[in-house]
Amino acid sequence: MSTTTELTNWQSVHDEVLRRIHTREWKPGDQIPKEVELAEELGCARATVNRALRELAAEGFLDRRRKAGTRVAAHPVRRARLDIPVIRLEIEGRGQKYTYGLLLSERRTPPPEICANLGVTANSDMLHITSLHLADGKPYMFEERWVSVAATPEIVDADLSKISANEWLVLHAPYTKGDISFSAVLASENEAKILRTQKNEPLFLIERTTWEGEKGITSARLVFAPGYRMHTAL
Amino acid sequence: MSTTTELTNWQSVHDEVLRRIHTREWKPGDQIPKEVELAEELGCARATVNRALRELAAEGFLDRRRKAGTRVAAHPVRRARLDIPVIRLEIEGRGQKYTYGLLLSERRTPPPEICANLGVTANSDMLHITSLHLADGKPYMFEERWVSVAATPEIVDADLSKISANEWLVLHAPYTKGDISFSAVLASENEAKILRTQKNEPLFLIERTTWEGEKGITSARLVFAPGYRMHTAL
DNA sequence: AAATATAATATGTACGTACATAATATCACT
DNA sequence: AGTGATATTATGTACGTACATATTATATTT
């Protein structure tokens, strides 16, 4: 009854299924027709329906299981895709001027919490780097980072006053596993001074750790200037 | 030279390409062989290669353009997939007991900033709800929400002391467009009292707004108790 | 040399067939 | 009724072919 015109591409099938979910023709928990049936109804190949349903499952709208069939997700977990760009591109993308200052670069053994994070021993050879990223000359983000020299020996030769450690690592030390967390903290006296703000301001904090296989590469603490908002569409 | 055994499924092709990127056999910015060539080299169909490369592009490792070919992403934008579950499931998923208290539910016209957010007029008929979500009896998140009655009339009949507005909306008012933002704020006196914490604690804040088509459905402000961390793998 | 039309090409997608795989349902047996 | 073997089934994937589409490269015209 529904389609006089045929839906012969996967995008339109995707949209049609999503429409039926939105209009609650198919409600959360409901089983939807099997691929062959849908293909027949819509006038396309099963592969096309499969592609559409696969995407919808990846987006969290559908739950699919072999033999059991496909049903509308009972608890639509919405997935936000967070793009995590290099800070420089984030700033330049808004049309602001990006500058960067290396504050400290020393080779030493890490404190215990970093060891725990990265899974390295206390006597590891590491690079400790702090730097400040600025947008239009105003402090934007303060970065404190530990890099394993064992995992990426080339970094000791990099000129980290020209390119930020983050950007260098992105280009030279791809990782296989990463962890990222977001939270709110109060500005310490030191952070407040560097970010040129008050002590006890609420700051947005990102902590990142990355591994290559089982080898810890780097652990970073990124503290953003007051007013920072991370946002995305969903 | 590389493959004596053939890679005839898309996962292994995916992994092999990723391996070559990781080992820097193919460096950022490099053009990689075209689909037909890769298919021939690896001993599989072009469709299989296509599937693998499509996934890798979606994951941000590759840039693909018709006619121009496929190249390793110059600035590997890492995409973190943030799953945004219903709070109840987030808490129960950690094995804690979830409880929920409705603090306020009133029908009134919204303040200007909500109008601006949702794109509704100042005299709109809206539901204003505040509630507290608790984990193991301890305050976990304080929610302040505005819901358009015009967009979802059924909500006035929902028993929001039993089911949270968020959860009700997820099940009854699917949306087509959403916006979410994360930031850090200081606890106001009121928020501090409700979350049973100090004033001026740094709190993690999530602001969400959702639309169905052009109609604004709801705008919510979620303030988490101190110590909250949102994290994910990447 | 610049602008415009045309050809070439790599990716994007649709389709039908075939087989793989995981999960369920059914049946046989105790 | 319970247990285990077996059949069934819906999704998952591979392949070859065909054509669509976006973009670049080339040829043509001004």
Short mmCIF file of all heavy atoms in Angstrom, two decimals, chain A residues 99-103 130-134 160-161:
data_model
loop_
_atom_site.label_atom_id
_atom_site.label_comp_id
_atom_site.label_asym_id
_atom_site.label_seq_id
_atom_site.Cartn_x
_atom_site.Cartn_y
_atom_site.Cartn_z
N THR A 99 48.30 30.00 17.99
CA THR A 99 49.71 30.03 18.37
C THR A 99 49.93 29.03 19.48
O THR A 99 48.96 28.56 20.11
CB THR A 99 50.16 31.44 18.82
OG1 THR A 99 49.18 31.96 19.73
CG2 THR A 99 50.34 32.37 17.66
N TYR A 100 51.19 28.74 19.70
CA TYR A 100 51.51 27.63 20.56
C TYR A 100 52.81 27.92 21.27
O TYR A 100 53.77 28.41 20.66
CB TYR A 100 51.62 26.37 19.71
CG TYR A 100 52.39 25.24 20.32
CD1 TYR A 100 51.79 24.41 21.26
CD2 TYR A 100 53.71 25.00 19.94
CE1 TYR A 100 52.51 23.37 21.83
CE2 TYR A 100 54.43 23.96 20.49
CZ TYR A 100 53.82 23.15 21.44
OH TYR A 100 54.52 22.12 22.00
N GLY A 101 52.86 27.67 22.54
CA GLY A 101 54.10 27.91 23.26
C GLY A 101 54.51 26.71 24.09
O GLY A 101 53.73 26.16 24.86
N LEU A 102 55.75 26.27 23.87
CA LEU A 102 56.28 25.16 24.65
C LEU A 102 56.77 25.72 25.99
O LEU A 102 57.60 26.63 26.03
CB LEU A 102 57.43 24.51 23.89
CG LEU A 102 58.12 23.32 24.57
CD1 LEU A 102 57.14 22.16 24.71
CD2 LEU A 102 59.35 22.89 23.77
N LEU A 103 56.26 25.22 27.08
CA LEU A 103 56.63 25.76 28.38
C LEU A 103 57.76 24.97 29.02
O LEU A 103 58.61 25.51 29.70
CB LEU A 103 55.41 25.75 29.31
CG LEU A 103 54.19 26.53 28.82
CD1 LEU A 103 53.06 26.44 29.83
CD2 LEU A 103 54.55 27.98 28.56
N THR A 130 55.06 20.33 28.91
CA THR A 130 53.88 21.17 29.14
C THR A 130 53.89 22.28 28.12
O THR A 130 54.95 22.79 27.73
CB THR A 130 53.84 21.78 30.56
OG1 THR A 130 54.97 22.62 30.73
CG2 THR A 130 53.85 20.70 31.62
N SER A 131 52.70 22.64 27.67
CA SER A 131 52.62 23.67 26.63
C SER A 131 51.29 24.38 26.72
O SER A 131 50.34 23.91 27.35
CB SER A 131 52.79 23.04 25.25
OG SER A 131 51.76 22.12 25.01
N LEU A 132 51.24 25.53 26.05
CA LEU A 132 50.02 26.33 26.06
C LEU A 132 49.58 26.60 24.63
O LEU A 132 50.39 27.00 23.78
CB LEU A 132 50.28 27.66 26.79
CG LEU A 132 49.08 28.59 26.94
CD1 LEU A 132 48.03 27.97 27.83
CD2 LEU A 132 49.52 29.94 27.51
N HIS A 133 48.32 26.35 24.36
CA HIS A 133 47.76 26.62 23.04
C HIS A 133 46.89 27.87 23.12
O HIS A 133 46.08 27.99 24.03
CB HIS A 133 46.92 25.44 22.57
CG HIS A 133 47.67 24.13 22.56
ND1 HIS A 133 48.07 23.50 21.41
CD2 HIS A 133 48.09 23.34 23.58
CE1 HIS A 133 48.71 22.37 21.71
NE2 HIS A 133 48.74 22.25 23.03
N LEU A 134 47.08 28.78 22.18
CA LEU A 134 46.35 30.04 22.23
C LEU A 134 45.52 30.28 20.98
O LEU A 134 45.91 29.87 19.88
CB LEU A 134 47.32 31.22 22.41
CG LEU A 134 48.29 31.14 23.58
CD1 LEU A 134 49.64 30.59 23.13
CD2 LEU A 134 48.49 32.51 24.23
N LEU A 160 59.83 20.40 19.33
CA LEU A 160 58.50 20.59 19.89
C LEU A 160 58.17 22.05 20.20
O LEU A 160 57.12 22.34 20.77
CB LEU A 160 58.33 19.73 21.15
CG LEU A 160 58.38 18.22 20.87
CD1 LEU A 160 58.24 17.43 22.15
CD2 LEU A 160 57.29 17.80 19.89
N SER A 161 59.05 22.95 19.81
CA SER A 161 58.68 24.36 19.96
C SER A 161 57.97 24.83 18.69
O SER A 161 57.32 25.85 18.68
CB SER A 161 59.92 25.22 20.22
OG SER A 161 60.81 25.11 19.13
#
